[in-house]
Amino acid sequence: MSTWKTLLLQDSSSPLMEQLMFFHDHTLLILIIITILVGQLLVSMIYNKFTHRFLIDGQLIEMVWTILPAFILILIALPSLRLLYIMDEIYNPLLTVKSIGHQWYWSYEYSDYQNMEFDSYMIPSTDLKSFNFRLLDVNNRLILPYNTQIRIITTSLDVIHSWTIPSLGIKIDSTPGRLNQTNFNINRAGLLFGQCS
């Protein structure tokens, strides 16, 4: 769960989120290198008065600054595409959960079992205990096993919702009249919070 003064991403609770964090760090490193290079060039141009008679006709430099950004984009696009395919792949799930978004609460159904469904409401601010988190804690928590492939199917009954758990790297839209599905694998036990965003 994110806390005050947290600058980085939340701690990972799934292999998918670990891969997303690696991709984030990879892309950020490329952006930092580009920013430092461009900043150094700008400072150099401000403080120096370089003049060169062959600077007007520079075909080699034009070729370099056309090919180099394309190469950098490929360095960012290939890991991104790999992650998109990993996120979209549905493996053999051992458990299926159906999540139905309502205004201000969620309904859950364990689809593999009969008559296992419940509603999950946010705890009102007046009923909070000292250990509860405001606008995050609910009266009925969704309990899921770890080290198990889980598929979640989401839909909505009124407006568009978004079923999100940041530490799992999951954000899936719940649209009225449509079923969306994704899968995840929780690799450590714990209490995970998410919000409709």
Side-chain angles (χ1 to χ4, degrees):
M1 188 173 111
S2 60
T3 56
W4 293 107
K5 298 181 184 176
T6 301
L7 296 177
L8 301 175
L9 298 171
Q10 292 184 20
D11 291 337
S12 164
S13 295
S14 72
L16 176 64
M17 186 60 188
E18 288 175 8
Q19 293 296 316
L20 287 170
M21 289 170 74
F22 290 149
F23 175 68
H24 171 266
D25 295 343
H26 167 75
T27 308
L28 199 61
L29 182 67
I30 292 173
L31 289 176
I32 287 172
I33 291 170
I34 291 171
T35 305
I36 289 172
L37 179 67
V38 170
Q40 191 269 335
L41 287 172
L42 283 174
V43 169
S44 172
M45 287 172 54
I46 289 171
Y47 288 112
N48 295 314
K49 301 289 185 209
F50 293 130
T51 55
H52 196 274
R53 65 187 182 122
F54 296 119
L55 196 61
I56 297 171
D57 188 30
Q59 315 229 316
L60 179 66
I61 190 69
E62 287 182 10
M63 190 172 69
V64 167
W65 72 44
T66 302
I67 291 174
L68 192 64
F71 179 70
I72 291 172
L73 286 176
I74 289 171
L75 279 178
I76 294 173
L78 290 179
S80 173
L81 287 173
R82 184 181 73 83
L83 264 177
L84 281 174
Y85 281 110
I86 288 174
M87 290 171 67
D88 200 36
E89 185 71 30
I90 300 292
Y91 303 103
N92 294 328
L94 295 176
L95 178 67
T96 301
V97 177
K98 184 176 180 186
S99 172
I100 304 167
H102 304 276
Q103 207 160 4
W104 302 110
Y105 71 99
W106 290 89
S107 296
Y108 295 105
E109 300 174 10
Y110 290 97
S111 302
D112 300 332
Y113 307 100
Q114 291 183 346
N115 298 327
M116 286 200 64
E117 56 187 61
F118 61 93
D119 294 334
S120 181
Y121 291 91
M122 268 191 308
I123 298 176
S125 298
T126 56
D127 298 342
L128 287 176
K129 306 280 191 290
S130 62
F131 53 84
N132 291 131
F133 292 103
R134 183 177 166 270
L135 299 178
L136 289 176
D137 260 316
V138 292
N139 60 353
N140 292 321
R141 293 178 174 154
L142 177 66
I143 299 173
L144 297 171
Y146 68 98
N147 288 334
T148 304
Q149 198 64 34
I150 301 165
R151 172 176 56 186
I152 185 151
I153 300 171
T154 65
T155 187
S156 172
L157 288 184
D158 44 20
V159 296
I160 297 174
H161 296 279
S162 184
W163 198 84
T164 307
I165 299 182
S167 61
L168 291 179
I170 291 178
K171 182 171 186 159
I172 184 167
D173 289 333
S174 302
T175 310
R178 179 180 173 152
L179 288 176
N180 287 335
Q181 71 174 354
T182 189
N183 69 330
F184 56 91
N185 189 346
I186 305 170
N187 61 2
R188 66 184 174 119
L191 186 60
L192 308 176
F193 292 100
Q195 280 185 307
C196 180
S197 52

